[in-house]
Amino acid sequence: MQKFFIQGGQKLEGDIPVQGAKNSALPILSASLLCDGESVLENCPELSDVYSACRILTSAGCQCTMQERVVCVHADTLRNSEIPENLMREMRSSIIFLGAMLGRTGTCTLGYPGGCELGSRPIDWHLQALRKMGVRVREENGVLFCSALGGLHGAKIHLQFPSVGATENIMLAAVLAKGDTVITNAAREPEITDLANYLIRCGAKLTGAGTDTIRIQGVQKLHGCTYRIMPDRIVTATWLAAAAATGGNVRLLHTDLNSLEGILDVLEQMQCQCSCQADHICFSAAKPIHAVKYLKTMPYPGFPTDTQAIFMAALCTASGTSVMEETIFENRFRHVDALIRMGADIRTIGRVAVIRGVKQLHGACVSATDLRGGACMLIAGLGAQGQTSITDISHIDRGYDRPEILLQNLGAKIQRVSA
Ligand code: UD1
């Protein structure tokens, strides 16, 4: 069990190299099992979720190695289409392996991914779509037995909501299926485009990623390739919000400005100075930052649900009152109690939070409630007066590649301590 200790109140100053995107690395690692030959994935962040994905590949018989943020996968030795129960529990996004495993082998057995800290996480739309593509699904004692013995076939699939995971699973199942697949009301997140770009580089016939209609023409084979994972837009937003909360002045390097829709807007409303150039952002915070009247989480290109907790931490000390509405997940305000313990003035009514800016937060003993809730605690602790200790930081390690080193380089007083 490890903890972070933060002595807050230091302005963040300096350069921040942005890590590769977790939400892109995971589906691309899953996609690598569809390919003959080797895939070399560069800029893979060193995260517990990425290690879990690598363990799923190895348990299926693939060869998978990781060195200096480069993952090499050989899927030619794949021999097992079962995803072990412990790996399903370790990472809910293991569900992303279902489409690829079915595409490659025609079968997949996996544990039913239960609810998680964000609320119930159903996969009904994933299964409905796969059934349309010829997959039979049988559930027994929480285990899903999926098979398409005659092979998968293309289908017209309309998603009732642009689910990121369902869109990815359909793409992964469709690239080697017989015939054409059309996904309408598809998710448009930049990570979908990154997955599509990798698949196209491997020989897939796919168009429309990044729009709400994706067309896929099944091919017989895919081959591995070398591919660089896109920069993480949620991590970019995290360090911008951290700089905002500490009145800092930072430069984010190797980021993808095109993927930051819905985020830069908000920073502008907070009256921060953002100057965007080629692949980096120069950022300086307003003093104090301004409240944002109304922020509602939405599918891309709207304000991302993954940045709700992160921006809430910064808005606790803004001048004025901010209102945030969470529309994507049913239980994504679990960080609010800890923020209140640190002196924030927040009321929640259902899925709406009203944040009245206070002058200063103070340190406290808090715990990371989930991945982005943990990032919220980091930001609040960095901006607060006094010492904050954060427990349950394994949640943070799922998505942030050694955050304490990066923050120390910016002048933060933060230590990782083993209990
Ligand atoms: C992905 C991201 C996660 C992000 C989320 C929304 C990864 C690894 N995770 O999660 O960080 O917060 O997108 O941007 O990329 N739903 C159903 N039935 C389904 C599928 C989804 O009801 O079959 C609901 C979910 O409960 C949720 C909403 O749809 O309320 C959005 O979920 P979805 O877009 O699928 O999120 P994930 O892919 O799980």
Side-chain angles (χ1 to χ4, degrees), residues 22-23 26-27 92-93 118 120-126 161-166 168 189 305-306 328-330 332 372:
K22 167 181 87 74
N23 288 355
L26 299 178
R92 191 206 174 269
S93 16
L118 307 183
S120 74
R121 300 280 294 262
I123 53 161
D124 48 339
W125 305 332
H126 302 234
F161 179 86
S163 154
V164 175
E168 289 167 345
E189 268 67 3
T305 173
D306 283 354
I328 309 290
F329 289 105
E330 60 187 18
R332 211 167 193 181
R372 305 305 168 186

Side-chain angles (χ1 to χ4, degrees), residues 326-345:
E326 172 57 53
T327 72
I328 309 290
F329 289 105
E330 60 187 18
N331 187 20
R332 211 167 193 181
F333 280 153
R334 298 202 330 153
H335 45 279
V336 167
D337 284 351
L339 289 174
I340 292 174
R341 204 157 346 121
M342 296 176 77
D345 179 353

Side-chain angles (χ1 to χ4, degrees), residues 366-400:
V366 294
S367 62
T369 47
D370 57 84
L371 167 55
R372 305 305 168 186
C376 162
M377 295 299 97
L378 272 180
I379 296 167
L382 290 165
Q385 262 326 312
Q387 181 168 284
T388 295
S389 72
I390 309 177
T391 55
D392 287 338
I393 63 171
S394 57
H395 286 298
I396 299 175
D397 290 330
R398 286 186 40 229
Y400 294 87

